[in-house]
Amino acid sequence: MPMIASVTRHDWTPAEVLALFKLPFNDLLFQAQSVHRQYFDPNRVQVSTLLSIKTGACPEDCKYCPQSGHYNTGLDKEKLMEVEKVLQAAADAKAIGSTRFCMGAAWKHPSAKDMPYVLKMVEGVKALGLETCMTLGKLTQEQTEALAQAGLDYYNHNLDTSPEFYGNIITTRTYSERLQTLAYVRDAGMKICSGGILGMGESLEDRAGLLIQLANLPEHPESVPINMLVKVKGTPLAEEEDVDPFDFIRMLAVARIMMPESHVRLSAGREQMNEQMQALAFLAGANSIFYGEKLLTTGNPQADKDMRLFERLGIQPEAREEHADEVHQAAIEQALIEQRDSKLFYSAV
Ligand code: SAM
Ligand code: DTB
Ligand code: SF4
């Protein structure tokens, strides 16, 4: 199979996308890796850290989510965190080498009374020299503009699955409301982080349908998180069948081919993946991860474990976009070395 010259397109059809999914695994990975190399350094991976700034008791009924108030998952619900505590967590994330700090709230949408605190968090995290990302649910145009004004770089709002399958998973918010929020984010000049989840009982057509929705937006999301369902006891999807690991890799590869300029994030579910599978994910074109021992409420690999994996694979963490200079890169690498060495030293005593 020859190297394929990639162009950024917004007119993907189901037949074309299904044909990609049905390629022999090696052909698909070769194509994805070839596309990846036309736009990215294949040995750099962006690292983001997540923090739940408001946990649990969410009014939405997303069947995968441990934070929905509709299900009993034994989660302790918490109020909006204090700004100072959020900034401390962001400083900790920076110290272990993260370049983006993503703050998530279990809300249907932010309330007027919470907005001033949220805006202070954005300003504070930005002042620490980190890229800022938030995921707060549905936004109004005014809220979106206020977040952009405060310095929010990315807004995460996932489409989660195809429009056809969506109603089996969420009934309290529509697909078109999600698309409207994404349009506000784009209009306010922020970057979009939007992706979905595998392992909810969706078909191959639904996986293709999700990628078509994302890739046929007027502009591709800059960040495309592909989550493997984290099965949490008490949620309606707790007993879903595991996704075939190769099918998960196929999803990353097809996302990479369809959105060649986007960062594709190997998102939730890494705790359940072995290192070989993660290496295949990077080969398929995934070039972003969540870094740090917790996602929002569930576990993620320890930072030192990830750094050892990066080292074994010859992968370097990516610098922040506006600071992609050598000094900043050196500082990130030093922070990562210190993080790794302190953990190794700790485990040796
Ligand atoms: N409440 C906001 C919203 O849904 O827009 C933001 C937080 S919500 C937890 C962010 C995303 O996390 C969801 O859209 C979903 O894709 C992902 N997510 C939630 N629970 C998950 C799980 N158990 N496994 C994998 N991904 C999950
Ligand atoms: C995304 O796509 N995945 C992240 C982030 N965006 C907000 C969340 C994953 C949550 C996994 C379940 C949990 O830890 O609660
Ligand atoms: Fe609420 Fe977000 Fe969880 Fe849905 S995914 S229940 S909106 S926290």
Side-chain angles (χ1 to χ4, degrees), residues 6-206:
S6 158
V7 284
T8 301
R9 296 174 40 196
H10 302 270
D11 57 355
W12 290 92
T13 65
E16 278 179 299
V17 179
L18 287 170
L20 285 174
F21 271 104
K22 288 177 181 166
L23 281 173
F25 190 75
N26 285 346
D27 290 347
L28 177 61
L29 256 68
F30 177 74
Q31 193 171 324
Q33 177 65 201
S34 304
V35 169
H36 191 46
R37 283 168 185 262
Q38 289 172 45
Y39 294 91
F40 291 103
D41 176 341
N43 302 310
R44 293 233 179 241
V45 170
Q46 191 279 328
V47 291
S48 297
T49 294
L50 261 178
L51 176 72
S52 179
I53 58 170
K54 191 271 163 191
T55 304
C58 182
E60 304 278 11
D61 69 352
C62 314
K63 285 198 172 68
Y64 48 76
C65 186
Q67 303 203 68
S68 167
H70 295 256
Y71 320 120
N72 184 4
T73 59
L75 194 70
D76 287 334
K77 49 182 186 219
E78 288 160 26
K79 288 209 227 56
L80 182 63
M81 266 174 90
E82 285 164 28
V83 177
E84 275 313 305
K85 288 197 178 138
V86 173
L87 298 188
Q88 185 54 55
D92 293 347
K94 188 179 179 187
I96 62 164
S98 205
T99 57
R100 190 177 309 156
F101 195 64
C102 307
M103 295 158 267
W107 285 327
K108 185 180 185 68
H109 51 70
S111 70
K113 98 175 153 28
D114 288 321
M115 276 306 282
Y117 299 102
V118 162
L119 297 176
K120 280 207 184 77
M121 289 173 196
V122 175
E123 284 160 7
V125 173
K126 187 96 177 159
L128 287 170
L130 286 159
E131 290 177 331
T132 50
C133 174
M134 282 195 156
T135 178
L136 314 171
K138 178 179 169 173
L139 297 177
T140 63
Q141 194 169 9
E142 293 69 35
Q143 288 172 329
T144 317
E145 279 161 10
L147 287 165
Q149 197 68 38
L152 189 64
D153 297 305
Y154 288 80
Y155 195 74
N156 167 247
H157 200 58
N158 290 340
L159 293 179
D160 280 342
T161 189
S162 69
E164 295 76 18
F165 191 65
Y166 182 87
N168 298 321
I169 304 297
I170 301 142
T171 68
T172 50
R173 169 163 57 212
T174 65
Y175 211 81
S176 57
E177 285 176 276
R178 290 196 185 229
L179 289 168
Q180 178 62 72
T181 295
L182 292 182
Y184 287 150
V185 172
R186 197 45 103 201
D187 288 348
M190 287 186 283
K191 292 178 184 148
I192 290 180
C193 173
S194 189
I197 308 180
L198 262 63
M200 305 190 292
E202 73 286 344
S203 65
L204 188 57
E205 285 72 18
D206 294 317

Side-chain angles (χ1 to χ4, degrees), residues 50 66-67 135 156 158 225 227 230 265 267-268 290 295-298:
L50 261 178
Q67 303 203 68
T135 178
N156 167 247
N158 290 340
N227 297 278
V230 181
R265 180 173 301 131
S267 194
F290 283 125
L295 292 166
L296 289 173
T297 65
T298 64

